[in-house]
Amino acid sequence: MMIYFKNRIDAGLQLSAKLKSFQNDPSIVLAVPRGGVPVAFAVARELGLPLEIILTKKIGHPMNKEYAIGAASINDYFIIPHADVSDEYVHAEVEKVQHKLKEMYVQFMGNEKPEDLKGKTVIVIDDGIATGNTLLATVKVLRKSKPGKIIIAVPVASGNAVQKLSPQVDHLIAVTVPGEFYGVGAFYADFEQVNDEEVKYYLEKMREWKKAC
């Protein structure tokens, strides 16, 4: 089996070549923490685009927390109605999830206010897609911000994930969609877990670069 990427930065550089047509749009790169941050950093630097993180978390069913009935972002959410799930439960869960996401946002982005996404070309980047379920929830929440276009861009994706996500977005761009998919990490020579300090490092580097421009 071929290794396509040395590491996440190499993956981001390869991905940026496929995103050049969006360089002159009013675009913003949104990284999915944690693994998507180094990839998105390389893309944003290469294309001269702003970089932020996108934080979403699933809302689980009261009888089975692993079964997602929706998802929340820092300031929005969507829920698939279920007859056995009360409004009170939904509101309490959304409040709890959003509180955690806000804490995480401050940890990574400090006091920076999230950009208004209305009318913008939003490029959501992760280091790869296996099932697509998490990104599907992210896209549904993102739609509420009324972006002009939603693009999912990844170095590698499974064929099933591409089929699932493509109808939900304006473009899905992947460097490779291998016929046989063994998990995202199988296509990287170095796929060490990204920790919080690295996330902060890349976001800080981006802020320094933005100030210098």
Side-chain angles (χ1 to χ4, degrees):
M1 190 190 67
M2 273 183 72
I3 297 282
Y4 285 89
F5 314 108
K6 289 182 217 158
N7 53 33
R8 288 179 178 87
I9 294 291
D10 174 46
L13 292 172
Q14 290 190 48
L15 184 58
S16 66
K18 292 185 166 285
L19 293 166
K20 286 200 189 296
S21 60
F22 304 106
Q23 203 167 4
N24 299 318
D25 283 12
S27 300
I28 180 166
V29 173
L30 296 182
V32 177
R34 296 176 178 80
V37 173
V39 182
F41 168 79
V43 170
R45 277 290 295 266
E46 201 66 13
L47 301 183
L49 297 175
L51 171 66
E52 284 190 6
I53 53 171
I54 180 157
L55 296 170
T56 55
K57 198 169 184 329
K58 74 179 176 191
I59 307 288
H61 191 282
M63 305 305 289
N64 177 7
K65 294 290 188 179
E66 289 306 303
Y67 174 66
I69 59 168
S73 67
I74 285 173
N75 44 26
D76 226 323
Y77 69 95
F78 87 95
I79 292 288
I80 300 158
H82 284 64
D84 56 347
V85 179
S86 70
D87 287 347
E88 289 76 17
Y89 171 81
V90 168
H91 290 144
E93 284 298 295
V94 167
E95 199 172 304
K96 191 163 67 181
V97 164
Q98 286 184 333
H99 179 71
K100 279 184 188 164
L101 293 178
K102 280 170 187 164
E103 284 182 344
M104 202 172 168
Y105 184 88
V106 170
Q107 181 190 356
F108 292 141
M109 299 292 292
N111 296 320
E112 278 189 44
K113 288 223 166 100
E115 283 219 30
D116 182 3
L117 303 179
K118 192 172 181 182
K120 292 203 170 122
T121 296
V122 173
I123 304 170
V124 180
I125 293 182
D126 205 348
D127 53 13
I129 317 172
T131 66
N133 292 337
T134 305
L135 273 175
L136 188 60
T138 299
V139 166
K140 286 184 175 175
V141 177
L142 206 45
R143 281 250 171 258
K144 297 197 157 199
S145 301
K146 297 188 169 37
K149 285 182 203 158
I150 298 178
I151 294 148
I152 289 176
V154 290
V156 59
S158 70
N160 286 342
V162 169
Q163 280 185 329
K164 185 187 291 181
L165 289 166
S166 290
Q168 307 297 326
V169 294
D170 296 281
H171 302 278
L172 192 152
I173 293 162
V175 176
T176 181
V177 182
E180 290 187 43
F181 188 85
Y182 303 99
V184 172
F187 299 92
Y188 286 80
D190 172 8
F191 197 65
E192 284 290 315
Q193 199 170 349
V194 176
N195 61 38
D196 288 350
E197 290 312 308
E198 286 174 273
V199 170
K200 287 192 257 195
Y201 167 81
Y202 286 114
L203 294 171
E204 188 52 44
K205 289 289 279 181
M206 201 64 203
R207 283 184 208 109
E208 286 169 12
W209 177 76
K210 203 162 127 188
K211 278 180 197 164
C213 287

mmCIF file of all heavy atoms in Angstrom, residues 76-114:
data_model
loop_
_atom_site.group_PDB
_atom_site.id
_atom_site.type_symbol
_atom_site.label_atom_id
_atom_site.label_comp_id
_atom_site.label_asym_id
_atom_site.label_seq_id
_atom_site.Cartn_x
_atom_site.Cartn_y
_atom_site.Cartn_z
ATOM 1 N N ASP A 76 -24.666 27.568 17.875
ATOM 2 C CA ASP A 76 -25.834 27.043 17.160
ATOM 3 C C ASP A 76 -25.937 25.540 17.372
ATOM 4 O O ASP A 76 -25.019 24.921 17.910
ATOM 5 C CB ASP A 76 -25.748 27.358 15.667
ATOM 6 C CG ASP A 76 -27.082 27.905 15.152
ATOM 7 O OD1 ASP A 76 -28.131 27.416 15.616
ATOM 8 O OD2 ASP A 76 -27.076 28.811 14.301
ATOM 9 N N TYR A 77 -27.033 24.965 16.920
ATOM 10 C CA TYR A 77 -27.196 23.517 17.027
ATOM 11 C C TYR A 77 -28.288 23.054 16.077
ATOM 12 O O TYR A 77 -29.092 23.849 15.583
ATOM 13 C CB TYR A 77 -27.536 23.101 18.464
ATOM 14 C CG TYR A 77 -28.907 23.521 18.954
ATOM 15 C CD1 TYR A 77 -29.993 22.646 18.875
ATOM 16 C CD2 TYR A 77 -29.119 24.790 19.491
ATOM 17 C CE1 TYR A 77 -31.249 23.024 19.321
ATOM 18 C CE2 TYR A 77 -30.367 25.179 19.944
ATOM 19 C CZ TYR A 77 -31.434 24.290 19.857
ATOM 20 O OH TYR A 77 -32.674 24.680 20.294
ATOM 21 N N PHE A 78 -28.294 21.753 15.784
ATOM 22 C CA PHE A 78 -29.424 21.162 15.071
ATOM 23 C C PHE A 78 -29.774 19.860 15.772
ATOM 24 O O PHE A 78 -28.908 19.188 16.335
ATOM 25 C CB PHE A 78 -29.095 20.931 13.582
ATOM 26 C CG PHE A 78 -28.426 19.614 13.310
ATOM 27 C CD1 PHE A 78 -29.164 18.500 12.931
ATOM 28 C CD2 PHE A 78 -27.051 19.472 13.450
ATOM 29 C CE1 PHE A 78 -28.543 17.271 12.712
ATOM 30 C CE2 PHE A 78 -26.426 18.247 13.232
ATOM 31 C CZ PHE A 78 -27.182 17.145 12.857
ATOM 32 N N ILE A 79 -31.053 19.518 15.749
ATOM 33 C CA ILE A 79 -31.543 18.300 16.400
ATOM 34 C C ILE A 79 -32.510 17.603 15.454
ATOM 35 O O ILE A 79 -33.350 18.252 14.824
ATOM 36 C CB ILE A 79 -32.289 18.634 17.725
ATOM 37 C CG1 ILE A 79 -31.315 19.173 18.778
ATOM 38 C CG2 ILE A 79 -33.045 17.422 18.271
ATOM 39 C CD1 ILE A 79 -30.355 18.152 19.375
ATOM 40 N N ILE A 80 -32.376 16.286 15.356
ATOM 41 C CA ILE A 80 -33.374 15.484 14.637
ATOM 42 C C ILE A 80 -34.440 15.129 15.674
ATOM 43 O O ILE A 80 -34.131 14.477 16.683
ATOM 44 C CB ILE A 80 -32.742 14.198 14.057
ATOM 45 C CG1 ILE A 80 -31.625 14.560 13.069
ATOM 46 C CG2 ILE A 80 -33.796 13.331 13.376
ATOM 47 C CD1 ILE A 80 -30.605 13.482 12.841
ATOM 48 N N PRO A 81 -35.683 15.592 15.469
ATOM 49 C CA PRO A 81 -36.722 15.345 16.495
ATOM 50 C C PRO A 81 -36.940 13.848 16.748
ATOM 51 O O PRO A 81 -36.987 13.049 15.822
ATOM 52 C CB PRO A 81 -37.976 15.980 15.896
ATOM 53 C CG PRO A 81 -37.469 16.944 14.863
ATOM 54 C CD PRO A 81 -36.201 16.354 14.330
ATOM 55 N N HIS A 82 -37.041 13.507 18.020
ATOM 56 C CA HIS A 82 -37.357 12.137 18.446
ATOM 57 C C HIS A 82 -38.508 12.224 19.439
ATOM 58 O O HIS A 82 -38.445 13.029 20.384
ATOM 59 C CB HIS A 82 -36.153 11.469 19.132
ATOM 60 C CG HIS A 82 -35.091 11.035 18.181
ATOM 61 N ND1 HIS A 82 -34.364 11.917 17.413
ATOM 62 C CD2 HIS A 82 -34.629 9.784 17.872
ATOM 63 C CE1 HIS A 82 -33.496 11.234 16.674
ATOM 64 N NE2 HIS A 82 -33.640 9.958 16.938
ATOM 65 N N ALA A 83 -39.510 11.392 19.252
ATOM 66 C CA ALA A 83 -40.703 11.440 20.116
ATOM 67 C C ALA A 83 -40.358 11.209 21.586
ATOM 68 O O ALA A 83 -41.026 11.738 22.481
ATOM 69 C CB ALA A 83 -41.719 10.400 19.650
ATOM 70 N N ASP A 84 -39.311 10.413 21.850
ATOM 71 C CA ASP A 84 -38.972 10.084 23.243
ATOM 72 C C ASP A 84 -37.891 11.000 23.822
ATOM 73 O O ASP A 84 -37.308 10.694 24.866
ATOM 74 C CB ASP A 84 -38.516 8.619 23.341
ATOM 75 C CG ASP A 84 -37.341 8.300 22.414
ATOM 76 O OD1 ASP A 84 -37.040 9.126 21.524
ATOM 77 O OD2 ASP A 84 -36.729 7.227 22.564
ATOM 78 N N VAL A 85 -37.637 12.123 23.165
ATOM 79 C CA VAL A 85 -36.621 13.070 23.667
ATOM 80 C C VAL A 85 -37.293 14.422 23.933
ATOM 81 O O VAL A 85 -37.850 15.035 23.027
ATOM 82 C CB VAL A 85 -35.462 13.256 22.654
ATOM 83 C CG1 VAL A 85 -34.446 14.260 23.185
ATOM 84 C CG2 VAL A 85 -34.776 11.918 22.362
ATOM 85 N N SER A 86 -37.238 14.860 25.190
ATOM 86 C CA SER A 86 -37.944 16.097 25.567
ATOM 87 C C SER A 86 -37.148 17.349 25.204
ATOM 88 O O SER A 86 -35.918 17.306 25.087
ATOM 89 C CB SER A 86 -38.205 16.104 27.077
ATOM 90 O OG SER A 86 -36.971 16.272 27.769
ATOM 91 N N ASP A 87 -37.858 18.459 25.061
ATOM 92 C CA ASP A 87 -37.211 19.760 24.802
ATOM 93 C C ASP A 87 -36.283 20.124 25.949
ATOM 94 O O ASP A 87 -35.218 20.703 25.738
ATOM 95 C CB ASP A 87 -38.272 20.864 24.650
ATOM 96 C CG ASP A 87 -39.014 20.746 23.329
ATOM 97 O OD1 ASP A 87 -38.546 19.990 22.446
ATOM 98 O OD2 ASP A 87 -40.062 21.402 23.174
ATOM 99 N N GLU A 88 -36.703 19.795 27.169
ATOM 100 C CA GLU A 88 -35.886 20.117 28.350
ATOM 101 C C GLU A 88 -34.523 19.424 28.262
ATOM 102 O O GLU A 88 -33.486 20.018 28.542
ATOM 103 C CB GLU A 88 -36.585 19.665 29.656
ATOM 104 C CG GLU A 88 -37.815 20.480 30.043
ATOM 105 C CD GLU A 88 -39.049 20.143 29.214
ATOM 106 O OE1 GLU A 88 -39.076 19.079 28.553
ATOM 107 O OE2 GLU A 88 -39.974 20.966 29.206
ATOM 108 N N TYR A 89 -34.554 18.137 27.870
ATOM 109 C CA TYR A 89 -33.306 17.389 27.727
ATOM 110 C C TYR A 89 -32.422 18.037 26.666
ATOM 111 O O TYR A 89 -31.225 18.243 26.882
ATOM 112 C CB TYR A 89 -33.594 15.928 27.352
ATOM 113 C CG TYR A 89 -32.329 15.166 26.979
ATOM 114 C CD1 TYR A 89 -31.487 14.648 27.963
ATOM 115 C CD2 TYR A 89 -31.952 14.999 25.640
ATOM 116 C CE1 TYR A 89 -30.312 13.977 27.627
ATOM 117 C CE2 TYR A 89 -30.779 14.332 25.296
ATOM 118 C CZ TYR A 89 -29.966 13.829 26.292
ATOM 119 O OH TYR A 89 -28.788 13.180 25.957
ATOM 120 N N VAL A 90 -33.017 18.357 25.519
ATOM 121 C CA VAL A 90 -32.251 18.960 24.410
ATOM 122 C C VAL A 90 -31.597 20.261 24.868
ATOM 123 O O VAL A 90 -30.401 20.472 24.671
ATOM 124 C CB VAL A 90 -33.156 19.205 23.174
ATOM 125 C CG1 VAL A 90 -32.438 20.083 22.143
ATOM 126 C CG2 VAL A 90 -33.561 17.876 22.544
ATOM 127 N N HIS A 91 -32.374 21.135 25.508
ATOM 128 C CA HIS A 91 -31.836 22.439 25.932
ATOM 129 C C HIS A 91 -30.707 22.269 26.950
ATOM 130 O O HIS A 91 -29.692 22.956 26.891
ATOM 131 C CB HIS A 91 -32.954 23.319 26.509
ATOM 132 C CG HIS A 91 -33.919 23.781 25.452
ATOM 133 N ND1 HIS A 91 -35.264 23.915 25.679
ATOM 134 C CD2 HIS A 91 -33.721 24.117 24.153
ATOM 135 C CE1 HIS A 91 -35.868 24.316 24.567
ATOM 136 N NE2 HIS A 91 -34.945 24.442 23.634
ATOM 137 N N ALA A 92 -30.892 21.337 27.874
ATOM 138 C CA ALA A 92 -29.859 21.106 28.896
ATOM 139 C C ALA A 92 -28.577 20.569 28.259
ATOM 140 O O ALA A 92 -27.468 21.008 28.590
ATOM 141 C CB ALA A 92 -30.377 20.124 29.947
ATOM 142 N N GLU A 93 -28.716 19.630 27.322
ATOM 143 C CA GLU A 93 -27.543 19.043 26.657
ATOM 144 C C GLU A 93 -26.826 20.079 25.791
ATOM 145 O O GLU A 93 -25.597 20.153 25.791
ATOM 146 C CB GLU A 93 -27.962 17.840 25.783
ATOM 147 C CG GLU A 93 -28.265 16.596 26.562
ATOM 148 C CD GLU A 93 -27.054 16.083 27.334
ATOM 149 O OE1 GLU A 93 -26.073 15.675 26.714
ATOM 150 O OE2 GLU A 93 -27.108 16.079 28.578
ATOM 151 N N VAL A 94 -27.596 20.858 25.060
ATOM 152 C CA VAL A 94 -26.997 21.890 24.198
ATOM 153 C C VAL A 94 -26.215 22.887 25.051
ATOM 154 O O VAL A 94 -25.079 23.248 24.728
ATOM 155 C CB VAL A 94 -28.074 22.622 23.353
ATOM 156 C CG1 VAL A 94 -27.514 23.895 22.716
ATOM 157 C CG2 VAL A 94 -28.619 21.697 22.272
ATOM 158 N N GLU A 95 -26.809 23.300 26.158
ATOM 159 C CA GLU A 95 -26.142 24.258 27.055
ATOM 160 C C GLU A 95 -24.828 23.686 27.588
ATOM 161 O O GLU A 95 -23.797 24.361 27.622
ATOM 162 C CB GLU A 95 -27.087 24.587 28.221
ATOM 163 C CG GLU A 95 -26.705 25.870 28.927
ATOM 164 C CD GLU A 95 -27.770 26.283 29.948
ATOM 165 O OE1 GLU A 95 -28.951 26.434 29.575
ATOM 166 O OE2 GLU A 95 -27.385 26.423 31.114
ATOM 167 N N LYS A 96 -24.876 22.409 27.983
ATOM 168 C CA LYS A 96 -23.686 21.745 28.530
ATOM 169 C C LYS A 96 -22.579 21.627 27.473
ATOM 170 O O LYS A 96 -21.419 21.958 27.720
ATOM 171 C CB LYS A 96 -24.090 20.345 29.036
ATOM 172 C CG LYS A 96 -23.036 19.651 29.864
ATOM 173 C CD LYS A 96 -23.634 18.496 30.667
ATOM 174 C CE LYS A 96 -24.094 17.379 29.763
ATOM 175 N NZ LYS A 96 -24.691 16.252 30.481
ATOM 176 N N VAL A 97 -22.965 21.188 26.280
ATOM 177 C CA VAL A 97 -21.999 21.014 25.180
ATOM 178 C C VAL A 97 -21.412 22.364 24.775
ATOM 179 O O VAL A 97 -20.195 22.506 24.598
ATOM 180 C CB VAL A 97 -22.674 20.315 23.971
ATOM 181 C CG1 VAL A 97 -21.832 20.465 22.708
ATOM 182 C CG2 VAL A 97 -22.909 18.839 24.272
ATOM 183 N N GLN A 98 -22.268 23.369 24.644
ATOM 184 C CA GLN A 98 -21.770 24.682 24.208
ATOM 185 C C GLN A 98 -20.828 25.299 25.242
ATOM 186 O O GLN A 98 -19.864 25.965 24.884
ATOM 187 C CB GLN A 98 -22.948 25.616 23.908
ATOM 188 C CG GLN A 98 -23.642 25.239 22.605
ATOM 189 C CD GLN A 98 -24.753 26.202 22.222
ATOM 190 O OE1 GLN A 98 -25.365 26.842 23.073
ATOM 191 N NE2 GLN A 98 -25.044 26.285 20.941
ATOM 192 N N HIS A 99 -21.093 25.045 26.511
ATOM 193 C CA HIS A 99 -20.200 25.541 27.562
ATOM 194 C C HIS A 99 -18.802 24.939 27.395
ATOM 195 O O HIS A 99 -17.797 25.645 27.450
ATOM 196 C CB HIS A 99 -20.773 25.194 28.942
ATOM 197 C CG HIS A 99 -19.908 25.647 30.078
ATOM 198 N ND1 HIS A 99 -19.766 26.985 30.414
ATOM 199 C CD2 HIS A 99 -19.114 24.951 30.935
ATOM 200 C CE1 HIS A 99 -18.924 27.083 31.433
ATOM 201 N NE2 HIS A 99 -18.501 25.868 31.763
ATOM 202 N N LYS A 100 -18.757 23.614 27.145
ATOM 203 C CA LYS A 100 -17.465 22.931 26.943
ATOM 204 C C LYS A 100 -16.759 23.455 25.693
ATOM 205 O O LYS A 100 -15.544 23.658 25.686
ATOM 206 C CB LYS A 100 -17.686 21.419 26.795
ATOM 207 C CG LYS A 100 -17.858 20.708 28.117
ATOM 208 C CD LYS A 100 -17.960 19.213 27.898
ATOM 209 C CE LYS A 100 -18.323 18.512 29.196
ATOM 210 N NZ LYS A 100 -18.791 17.147 28.994
ATOM 211 N N LEU A 101 -17.521 23.650 24.616
ATOM 212 C CA LEU A 101 -16.928 24.124 23.359
ATOM 213 C C LEU A 101 -16.378 25.544 23.509
ATOM 214 O O LEU A 101 -15.311 25.862 22.973
ATOM 215 C CB LEU A 101 -17.962 24.090 22.224
ATOM 216 C CG LEU A 101 -18.439 22.702 21.773
ATOM 217 C CD1 LEU A 101 -19.485 22.834 20.683
ATOM 218 C CD2 LEU A 101 -17.284 21.840 21.282
ATOM 219 N N LYS A 102 -17.087 26.379 24.268
ATOM 220 C CA LYS A 102 -16.603 27.754 24.495
ATOM 221 C C LYS A 102 -15.283 27.745 25.264
ATOM 222 O O LYS A 102 -14.373 28.509 24.965
ATOM 223 C CB LYS A 102 -17.660 28.575 25.240
ATOM 224 C CG LYS A 102 -18.754 29.084 24.313
ATOM 225 C CD LYS A 102 -19.926 29.694 25.052
ATOM 226 C CE LYS A 102 -21.049 30.022 24.075
ATOM 227 N NZ LYS A 102 -22.329 30.266 24.698
ATOM 228 N N GLU A 103 -15.197 26.871 26.267
ATOM 229 C CA GLU A 103 -13.939 26.746 27.030
ATOM 230 C C GLU A 103 -12.801 26.306 26.108
ATOM 231 O O GLU A 103 -11.680 26.805 26.196
ATOM 232 C CB GLU A 103 -14.113 25.718 28.153
ATOM 233 C CG GLU A 103 -14.907 26.238 29.335
ATOM 234 C CD GLU A 103 -15.008 25.212 30.453
ATOM 235 O OE1 GLU A 103 -14.743 24.007 30.208
ATOM 236 O OE2 GLU A 103 -15.365 25.611 31.581
ATOM 237 N N MET A 104 -13.089 25.359 25.227
ATOM 238 C CA MET A 104 -12.089 24.845 24.292
ATOM 239 C C MET A 104 -11.668 25.944 23.314
ATOM 240 O O MET A 104 -10.492 26.087 22.983
ATOM 241 C CB MET A 104 -12.689 23.659 23.531
ATOM 242 C CG MET A 104 -11.663 22.718 22.929
ATOM 243 S SD MET A 104 -12.529 21.263 22.274
ATOM 244 C CE MET A 104 -11.206 20.533 21.318
ATOM 245 N N TYR A 105 -12.646 26.735 22.860
ATOM 246 C CA TYR A 105 -12.346 27.815 21.921
ATOM 247 C C TYR A 105 -11.396 28.838 22.557
ATOM 248 O O TYR A 105 -10.409 29.245 21.949
ATOM 249 C CB TYR A 105 -13.643 28.509 21.476
ATOM 250 C CG TYR A 105 -13.405 29.581 20.428
ATOM 251 C CD1 TYR A 105 -13.394 29.266 19.075
ATOM 252 C CD2 TYR A 105 -13.161 30.906 20.794
ATOM 253 C CE1 TYR A 105 -13.156 30.237 18.115
ATOM 254 C CE2 TYR A 105 -12.914 31.877 19.844
ATOM 255 C CZ TYR A 105 -12.919 31.541 18.509
ATOM 256 O OH TYR A 105 -12.666 32.501 17.563
ATOM 257 N N VAL A 106 -11.691 29.224 23.786
ATOM 258 C CA VAL A 106 -10.838 30.196 24.493
ATOM 259 C C VAL A 106 -9.430 29.617 24.687
ATOM 260 O O VAL A 106 -8.429 30.319 24.529
ATOM 261 C CB VAL A 106 -11.467 30.589 25.857
ATOM 262 C CG1 VAL A 106 -10.485 31.387 26.705
ATOM 263 C CG2 VAL A 106 -12.744 31.393 25.633
ATOM 264 N N GLN A 107 -9.343 28.332 24.989
ATOM 265 C CA GLN A 107 -8.046 27.677 25.163
ATOM 266 C C GLN A 107 -7.189 27.807 23.890
ATOM 267 O O GLN A 107 -5.992 28.062 23.951
ATOM 268 C CB GLN A 107 -8.278 26.192 25.486
ATOM 269 C CG GLN A 107 -6.981 25.422 25.704
ATOM 270 C CD GLN A 107 -7.212 23.923 25.779
ATOM 271 O OE1 GLN A 107 -8.339 23.431 25.737
ATOM 272 N NE2 GLN A 107 -6.140 23.179 25.878
ATOM 273 N N PHE A 108 -7.830 27.640 22.731
ATOM 274 C CA PHE A 108 -7.079 27.655 21.474
ATOM 275 C C PHE A 108 -7.005 29.031 20.808
ATOM 276 O O PHE A 108 -6.000 29.382 20.202
ATOM 277 C CB PHE A 108 -7.694 26.665 20.478
ATOM 278 C CG PHE A 108 -7.523 25.230 20.866
ATOM 279 C CD1 PHE A 108 -8.545 24.314 20.661
ATOM 280 C CD2 PHE A 108 -6.335 24.773 21.429
ATOM 281 C CE1 PHE A 108 -8.399 22.979 21.010
ATOM 282 C CE2 PHE A 108 -6.174 23.445 21.795
ATOM 283 C CZ PHE A 108 -7.201 22.548 21.578
ATOM 284 N N MET A 109 -8.076 29.801 20.895
ATOM 285 C CA MET A 109 -8.161 31.061 20.140
ATOM 286 C C MET A 109 -8.094 32.307 21.016
ATOM 287 O O MET A 109 -8.116 33.423 20.515
ATOM 288 C CB MET A 109 -9.468 31.099 19.323
ATOM 289 C CG MET A 109 -9.603 30.005 18.291
ATOM 290 S SD MET A 109 -8.443 30.114 16.898
ATOM 291 C CE MET A 109 -9.007 31.586 16.058
ATOM 292 N N GLY A 110 -8.059 32.132 22.346
ATOM 293 C CA GLY A 110 -7.990 33.282 23.241
ATOM 294 C C GLY A 110 -9.249 34.120 23.141
ATOM 295 O O GLY A 110 -10.361 33.602 23.120
ATOM 296 N N ASN A 111 -9.059 35.447 23.062
ATOM 297 C CA ASN A 111 -10.217 36.357 23.031
ATOM 298 C C ASN A 111 -10.671 36.710 21.618
ATOM 299 O O ASN A 111 -11.533 37.554 21.441
ATOM 300 C CB ASN A 111 -9.877 37.659 23.778
ATOM 301 C CG ASN A 111 -9.619 37.376 25.245
ATOM 302 O OD1 ASN A 111 -10.318 36.561 25.839
ATOM 303 N ND2 ASN A 111 -8.601 38.009 25.816
ATOM 304 N N GLU A 112 -10.067 36.076 20.613
ATOM 305 C CA GLU A 112 -10.460 36.371 19.228
ATOM 306 C C GLU A 112 -11.900 35.966 18.992
ATOM 307 O O GLU A 112 -12.313 34.864 19.327
ATOM 308 C CB GLU A 112 -9.571 35.605 18.243
ATOM 309 C CG GLU A 112 -8.243 36.289 17.981
ATOM 310 C CD GLU A 112 -7.490 35.613 16.845
ATOM 311 O OE1 GLU A 112 -8.130 35.300 15.820
ATOM 312 O OE2 GLU A 112 -6.287 35.408 17.003
ATOM 313 N N LYS A 113 -12.668 36.893 18.402
ATOM 314 C CA LYS A 113 -14.065 36.566 18.100
ATOM 315 C C LYS A 113 -14.117 35.751 16.803
ATOM 316 O O LYS A 113 -13.386 36.043 15.863
ATOM 317 C CB LYS A 113 -14.863 37.862 17.918
ATOM 318 C CG LYS A 113 -15.103 38.591 19.223
ATOM 319 C CD LYS A 113 -16.537 39.076 19.272
ATOM 320 C CE LYS A 113 -16.870 39.496 20.692
ATOM 321 N NZ LYS A 113 -16.797 40.916 20.879
ATOM 322 N N PRO A 114 -14.972 34.723 16.736
ATOM 323 C CA PRO A 114 -15.097 33.964 15.490
ATOM 324 C C PRO A 114 -15.570 34.874 14.362
ATOM 325 O O PRO A 114 -16.384 35.774 14.580
ATOM 326 C CB PRO A 114 -16.162 32.910 15.804
ATOM 327 C CG PRO A 114 -16.288 32.880 17.282
ATOM 328 C CD PRO A 114 -15.870 34.220 17.776
#
